[in-house]
Amino acid sequence: MFDWNDLRFFLAVAKEGSTLAAAKAIGVNQSTVQRRLADLEAQLGQRLVERLPSGYQLTELGVAILPNAEAVAASAENFERMLRDLGRAHVGIIRLTCPEPIALRLTQSGILDRFHAKHPGLKVEFVLSDQYVDLAKGEADVALRSGDTDDSILVGRKIADSLWAIYASQQYIERHGAPATVADLARHPLIAFEESMSKHRTVSWLKEVAPNATYAARNTSVLGLIYAAKAGVGVAPLPMSLGDAEGDLVRVLGPVPELTRAWRILTHPDERHTARVSAFFAFVLQESDALRPILTG
């Protein structure tokens, strides 16, 4: 097998008639052209050019392979042009990570339908998780994320507030009453995230305000908290955008200022100025008024 990139030097010599002129055309020194041409001839085991007083002349083999070499060069140029065009075009998949309930609300709102109508070559693909996926490792392209992030590398914009409150089911309230103050939480069974999500603000806040409370259920997702609260096993901190939408849940406290954070759209700097991510960022910022009730409530 030969290095097909050596064909560039063969083609330049065939076109320019000398290694010096070929070197100027390609932008390298003459010795590089001579070496790469000699490498190609060695790999083929035959001469492609002959040096004459008037310059270089193609051998019979050189003449025979010239059309195919030109076709290879044309294909490479077309491929490079296609890559450049794709880099500028609004085509491809955008992997968006966000909590599962937000994905559902985004889908039901029609916002994504409007995005796909505006950019028919782009497709949003969800990466659903209540925990932070690693954008730097390419686990997703864009994140809709609330709360603090330890990843200072990411870039983005605030698009809404994340408001949380305390909820209980009507059934629970009828049986056990409702907490009237934050201090009352210590006397009610709590529903919260598991310790694996100890960095979540609700976990640390509950430990501060109700250090001796008992826990009725723990979960790794917001949906799990909602289902447990609806089952009537205890009281739970929930995002107001979701808790207020549940007809059988009652907001008993809040919003809780200590749990308020920002919703942001985030991406890695290497992805920020790609055409597809730039198009999605621009659309999200344009639709911020429509997104706010989805994210904030």
Side-chain angles (χ1 to χ4, degrees):
M1 292 294 294
F2 65 89
D3 184 349
W4 68 269
N5 193 48
D6 288 340
L7 291 177
R8 293 175 53 237
F9 299 90
F10 165 68
L11 288 170
V13 172
K15 179 180 179 181
E16 303 297 336
S18 73
T19 55
L20 179 60
K24 291 180 179 179
I26 296 176
V28 298
N29 57 52
Q30 185 179 16
S31 62
T32 297
V33 175
Q34 293 171 335
R35 176 174 55 80
R36 297 297 292 268
L37 183 59
D39 288 345
L40 179 59
E41 291 178 327
Q43 291 161 13
L44 296 176
Q46 298 187 60
R47 297 293 301 274
L48 296 175
V49 298
E50 293 179 354
R51 185 169 185 178
L52 304 174
S54 58
Y56 281 78
Q57 178 177 303
L58 297 184
T59 64
E60 184 176 342
L61 176 62
V63 172
I65 72 167
L66 181 60
N68 289 328
E70 291 173 337
V72 171
S75 294
E77 291 175 0
N78 288 336
F79 183 71
E80 291 176 354
R81 189 179 304 110
M82 180 192 70
L83 290 181
R84 289 194 298 270
D85 292 344
L86 287 176
R88 294 190 294 265
H90 294 161
V91 295
I93 293 175
I94 301 168
R95 293 169 300 158
L96 172 65
T97 181
C98 64
E100 186 175 346
I102 296 302
L104 177 63
R105 291 169 66 85
L106 283 174
T107 302
Q108 292 177 336
S109 71
I111 287 179
L112 293 183
D113 291 335
R114 293 198 294 275
F115 175 74
H116 291 143
K118 185 174 184 178
H119 300 288
L122 291 173
K123 175 66 176 177
V124 175
E125 179 182 286
F126 285 112
V127 180
L128 301 178
S129 176
D130 282 320
Q131 303 191 51
Y132 294 166
V133 304
D134 195 332
L135 301 188
K137 292 182 178 179
E139 295 175 359
D141 301 312
V142 179
L144 286 179
R145 184 174 292 177
S146 69
D148 303 320
T149 174
D150 295 332
D151 195 341
S152 59
I153 297 176
L154 302 181
V155 295
R157 292 275 299 274
K158 176 184 175 180
I159 53 177
D161 289 313
S162 176
L163 305 179
W164 286 61
I166 307 300
Y167 293 83
S169 70
Q170 187 63 49
Q171 178 188 25
Y172 177 88
I173 295 172
E174 291 172 358
R175 292 181 178 179
H176 307 286
T181 65
V182 170
D184 289 342
L185 290 176
R187 293 188 286 274
H188 290 265
L190 303 180
I191 300 166
F193 288 122
E194 289 185 355
E195 285 299 318
S196 62
M197 298 179 67
S198 60
K199 292 185 178 180
H200 195 280
R201 59 193 180 279
T202 60
V203 176
S204 57
W205 180 74
L206 286 174
K207 286 182 178 179
E208 291 177 7
V209 300
N212 299 316
T214 59
Y215 286 81
R218 293 184 185 271
N219 208 287
T220 58
S221 71
V222 172
L223 278 181
L225 302 183
I226 292 174
Y227 292 148
K230 292 173 67 173
V233 299
V235 299
L238 295 172
M240 289 172 51
S241 59
L242 303 180
D244 287 354
E246 296 291 337
D248 47 354
L249 290 182
V250 178
R251 191 200 311 173
V252 295
L253 291 174
V256 179
E258 293 84 354
L259 299 182
T260 298
R261 294 294 188 274
W263 273 104
R264 295 182 177 88
I265 179 172
L266 298 167
T267 190
H268 191 273
D270 292 345
E271 295 288 331
R272 177 62 183 90
H273 297 293
T274 62
R276 56 194 174 84
V277 171
S278 292
F280 189 71
F281 260 66
F283 178 82
V284 166
L285 296 178
Q286 177 185 333
E287 293 278 341
S288 58
D289 288 343
L291 277 168
R292 200 166 291 117
I294 295 173
L295 300 174
T296 299

